Amino acid sequence: MSQQVITTELCDWISEQSRVGHPAESILAAMLGSGWDESVARQAVARVLGQSATLTAPPGATAGLPEPDLSRFAPVVDAGDRNVKIVMAMRQPRVVVFSELLSHEECDGIIALGTKRLARSETVATGADGSEVNAARTSEGMFFERCENDLIRTVEARIATLLRWPLDHGEGLQVLRYRPGAEYQPHYDYFDPGHVSTPNILKRGGQRVATLVIYLNTPTAGGSTIFPDIGLDVAPVKGNAVFFSYDRPHPSTQTLHGGSPVIEGEKWVATKWLRQGVFN
Ligand code: PD2
Ligand code: ZN
């Protein structure tokens, strides 16, 4: 088939198949059997059913979600080479705020290394494969390679221990700098199942399942990380971090979040995104 189009008739058919009890994978298989391109078929099923069933976990994916050990709700959690303090924890959605995850020297070291490589931040392009500069994200950013140097390796190993998630399931740390007026408008960090570029992105490690935003400095005013669905504002404090996880790529996770505009001073963060499987 050439130029495959997701028509209303196709959507109605998918909806009917689901209504009579066929799981998303069977509907997909039937579509592939009748000549539909896999990525178009996945988009159509995701559009109609809006669910993660279309996103098969990669081989070797780790079950469950990243999660710190809060079983005893001790005020500190052992993160291997450092004790990290718990400021607050929310269950639904899972949001945890940590303090003293990084020392001030580690924060300064990451900023110094990141400064040399900053460029205007990009997001996944709206229409095609690739990324593009986006007015919703007015920060500048850079990515470290995973384990790029001793400092990054130390921080990544600490995060892996703290969140009980393998180091190789994490993307390289991303550093962002926001100047006064810069913001990151509310968004979800998982890859949109209905987006044309998502099947390709998922080949490397599957979906994102959790985010850790680490504050590398304390802005003078503004720059909180906001969660509009649950009315939560997290203050950016040097060395602290906010963690949240999402078990499916869907707004029902209530993980809509953004970076509110910086009012005075700069804001620097390092973000670690965690995947279902090995990210190479
Ligand atoms: O800098 C933040 O507060 C922020 C807000 C929303 C960072 C991210 N998202 C991110 O890096 O995904
Ligand atoms: Zn985000």
Side-chain angles (χ1 to χ4, degrees):
M1 273 189 218
S2 62
Q3 197 56 32
Q4 298 184 330
V5 178
I6 302 174
T7 58
T8 315
E9 289 73 27
L10 176 64
C11 293
D12 289 347
W13 178 82
I14 293 170
S15 180
E16 177 60 13
Q17 298 305 303
S18 174
R19 196 188 62 74
V20 298
H22 295 297
E25 280 304 330
S26 309
I27 302 172
L28 267 172
M31 290 179 72
L32 300 190
S34 19
W36 283 92
D37 172 79
E38 181 170 354
S39 116
V40 179
R42 284 185 183 277
Q43 275 179 65
V45 173
R47 189 179 296 174
V48 176
L49 304 179
Q51 55 164 300
S52 54
T54 56
L55 303 167
T56 333
T62 299
L65 288 173
E67 174 73 0
D69 182 6
L70 303 183
S71 55
R72 296 189 310 133
F73 216 91
V76 292
V77 174
D78 179 5
D81 64 341
R82 188 175 173 88
N83 279 337
V84 175
K85 294 183 177 148
I86 308 298
V87 176
M88 79 96 190
M90 176 181 266
R91 289 204 175 87
Q92 201 58 49
R94 177 48 114 189
V95 181
V96 182
V97 178
F98 300 108
S99 73
E100 299 177 28
L101 173 62
L102 264 60
S103 70
H104 283 207
E105 294 69 33
E106 289 169 334
C107 291
D108 296 342
I110 294 176
I111 289 177
L113 292 171
T115 303
K116 303 172 195 154
R117 284 159 42 190
L118 285 180
R120 177 77 187 273
S121 296
E122 297 185 346
T123 48
V124 174
T126 40
D129 282 3
S131 60
E132 63 186 16
V133 170
N134 185 334
R137 193 177 183 189
T138 43
S139 54
E140 301 150 277
M142 57 79 64
F143 274 94
F144 285 103
E145 291 291 320
R146 214 170 46 215
C147 296
E148 183 176 316
N149 56 51
D150 287 348
L151 172 57
I152 297 300
R153 188 179 305 111
T154 300
V155 169
E156 289 177 334
R158 189 179 304 154
I159 294 171
T161 305
L162 176 68
L163 301 178
R164 299 183 294 175
W165 203 248
L167 194 154
D168 66 8
H169 288 31
E171 297 178 31
L173 265 182
Q174 180 198 238
V175 171
L176 295 179
R177 170 176 66 182
Y178 302 79
R179 296 181 190 271
E183 66 181 316
Y184 196 169
Q185 287 175 9
H187 60 273
Y188 299 97
D189 280 354
Y190 55 74
F191 300 105
D192 179 352
H195 194 283
V196 65
S197 66
T198 296
N200 241 341
I201 292 172
L202 298 186
K203 286 179 189 157
R204 275 178 95 191
Q207 263 291 359
R208 288 177 175 164
V209 289
T211 304
L212 181 74
V213 178
I214 307 168
Y215 305 107
L216 300 176
N217 78 326
T218 308
T220 311
S224 60
T225 304
I226 54 169
F227 294 79
D229 287 349
I230 54 173
L232 176 66
D233 268 50
V234 179
V237 175
K238 186 171 184 173
N240 288 11
V242 58
F243 163 78
F244 52 100
S245 60
Y246 24 100
D247 60 1
R248 54 197 180 281
H250 195 270
S252 60
T253 55
Q254 296 185 292
T255 55
L256 185 69
H257 66 288
S260 64
V262 172
I263 297 169
E264 193 182 337
E266 289 186 346
K267 173 188 173 191
W268 288 79
V269 299
T271 302
K272 172 64 85 178
W273 286 295
L274 302 173
R275 299 288 191 105
Q276 291 173 294
V278 176
F279 180 81
N280 280 322

